[in-house]
Amino acid sequence: MKNTKYHKFIAAVAVFALSATFLLLDDEPIYFADGAGDHRSLRTGEENEGEPTDDPTIIDQTSIDETMATSARELEDRLIGAQPETTDDNILAIHEWPAAEMSNIAEGTYSISRLNTTQTNNDNYGRVLLYVTSHMSRQHKMFLKYCWPNILARSALLQEADVAVYLNPGEGERKEAMDILNNTFADQNLKVYLRAKAEKQAGAKTAMYEAITSDFFSGYDWVIRLNPDVIIRDDSFLMQSMADPSVLALLINCSRRGTKVHTDFFVIKPDVLSAKAFPLTGENAELSFTRSIQESVLDNGSHRWIPDASPKSYLCRAGDGRDFYESPIVHEHFLHPEVCSVPKDIDVTSVFPDAWPLPWSRRV
């Protein structure tokens, strides 16, 4: 591309300038965040102590490195004119659910209706959409088959919700994935946005970006966004808060020093969501999501932190480091016998190598 070397030189200069600025201004320990949300001091190696703060105005120091990298990428993108791709209209067009004998299922949007609007409209909090994103790993398959039937049976909130799944498995796994979803959500309105396989982190960002820009959430009062391995163990706080007209979002804080909103699970009014919250490239999803709702939600106190759901460990997972029965929302990569009913003839050790059932207080 013309002037590419010049653009890269300008971007490099920007990175150097940003680095110098942060080194001059920073008189506090610098912390880094890896993909799992680990926070440690680069100067002392000591772990941070304390619970996440409720003050939404505190900026998490773990964002420093990510902000520097993001600023450089944004500058280079502007210089070379990079723009996000739009979704093909044919992919967005709604198709009938694939016939049982179909083995090759093309990318597209598939829908099956089982309930009318009256049956999915709650008098207290309106219409709810459960928005699930999955690349359909072996873990996700097992959670959907063995855990989610029990989760649905125990939750009045989820039983009334419509279900939409942003699905991006490999081509050879599409048929199995669609069958699992149809069986798991057999009593609910189900829509599947079947897309090309994507890297896990990129797929999660794209799922939210496309949902917002293509109006997946239109007509709903609330959206519950989660992954298949996130368990809603107790929905009582969610239902109570969703019925409060002053509440716009139910959130989990991942940061132990400031505010960093968890993106693997949140409940939100779709009107406050912005596509800018989930950039297709660049900054960490939690940081960009936090920044996007800072003014509209966090600063004015129209959110509620879900009690006992913030992680006690250094992983950015709901309820991590807590006992299973302590947190109403649990994000784990293990099957808990209280929720998951695994047939005795099914071997789960190839997917979940640790002994099962597993003691859930192991990281407290």
Side-chain angles (χ1 to χ4, degrees), residues 185-237:
F185 302 106
D187 297 323
Q188 292 168 281
N189 295 331
L190 175 62
K191 187 176 291 183
V192 174
Y193 300 96
L194 182 60
R195 302 296 186 258
K197 186 175 182 179
E199 184 270 329
K200 183 170 65 172
Q201 187 71 270
K205 289 184 177 182
T206 305
M208 286 304 302
Y209 183 89
E210 185 179 341
I212 297 167
T213 57
S214 299
D215 295 325
F216 290 3
F217 305 148
S218 178
Y220 291 97
D221 299 285
W222 288 96
V223 173
I224 303 173
R225 182 268 186 267
L226 50 66
N227 295 339
D229 52 8
V230 177
I231 295 172
I232 300 179
R233 192 189 61 79
D234 184 349
D235 62 8
S236 56
F237 177 81

Side-chain angles (χ1 to χ4, degrees), residues 29-258:
I30 298 176
Y31 294 86
F32 72 88
D34 65 12
D38 193 4
H39 300 61
R40 297 175 188 272
S41 168
L42 292 179
R43 295 178 179 172
T44 66
E46 296 177 353
E47 298 182 354
N48 302 328
E49 299 294 338
E51 288 291 306
T53 176
D54 287 332
D55 184 0
T57 63
I58 296 177
I59 301 300
D60 191 345
Q61 292 220 7
T62 61
S63 66
I64 290 178
D65 289 342
E66 292 167 307
T67 301
M68 291 168 57
T70 300
S71 299
R73 280 190 292 266
E74 288 176 347
L75 174 60
E76 186 170 1
D77 284 349
R78 286 196 297 270
L79 287 169
I80 65 178
Q83 297 291 336
E85 296 181 1
T86 56
T87 305
D88 192 315
D89 288 341
N90 186 53
I91 293 179
L92 288 174
I94 298 177
H95 305 281
E96 292 185 359
W97 197 262
E101 63 272 12
M102 287 185 63
S103 56
N104 297 320
I105 304 177
E107 288 181 55
T109 302
Y110 299 90
S111 178
I112 183 168
S113 298
R114 299 182 174 103
L115 302 172
N116 59 45
T117 304
T118 304
Q119 293 172 293
T120 60
N121 186 32
N122 185 278
D123 293 338
N124 295 321
Y125 43 75
R127 298 190 68 205
V128 179
L129 179 68
L130 177 64
Y131 189 52
V132 184
T133 60
S134 177
H135 57 293
M136 206 53 81
S137 64
R138 292 189 298 168
Q139 288 182 350
H140 284 188
K141 290 176 184 177
M142 287 196 169
F143 269 93
L144 287 165
K145 288 195 294 185
Y146 305 133
C147 308
W148 269 91
N150 291 333
I151 294 171
L152 293 169
R154 300 176 186 184
S155 172
L157 171 62
L158 296 179
Q159 288 171 19
E160 293 181 327
D162 288 344
V163 180
V165 182
Y166 195 93
L167 182 66
N168 49 9
E171 289 189 27
E173 299 176 290
R174 290 176 180 176
K175 169 64 174 173
E176 180 190 11
M178 295 284 281
D179 287 344
I180 290 174
L181 293 173
N182 194 27
N183 291 331
T184 298
F185 302 106
D187 297 323
Q188 292 168 281
N189 295 331
L190 175 62
K191 187 176 291 183
V192 174
Y193 300 96
L194 182 60
R195 302 296 186 258
K197 186 175 182 179
E199 184 270 329
K200 183 170 65 172
Q201 187 71 270
K205 289 184 177 182
T206 305
M208 286 304 302
Y209 183 89
E210 185 179 341
I212 297 167
T213 57
S214 299
D215 295 325
F216 290 3
F217 305 148
S218 178
Y220 291 97
D221 299 285
W222 288 96
V223 173
I224 303 173
R225 182 268 186 267
L226 50 66
N227 295 339
D229 52 8
V230 177
I231 295 172
I232 300 179
R233 192 189 61 79
D234 184 349
D235 62 8
S236 56
F237 177 81
L238 304 183
M239 290 193 294
Q240 178 184 356
S241 300
M242 290 164 65
D244 184 342
S246 68
V247 176
L248 297 180
L250 307 175
L251 308 170
I252 297 172
N253 191 6
C254 268
S255 174
R256 298 169 69 87
R257 289 178 59 87

Side-chain angles (χ1 to χ4, degrees), residues 1-12 76 80:
M1 182 180 291
K2 187 177 181 180
N3 293 330
T4 298
K5 291 183 178 179
Y6 171 74
H7 296 151
K8 290 184 176 180
F9 172 76
I10 295 297
E76 186 170 1
I80 65 178

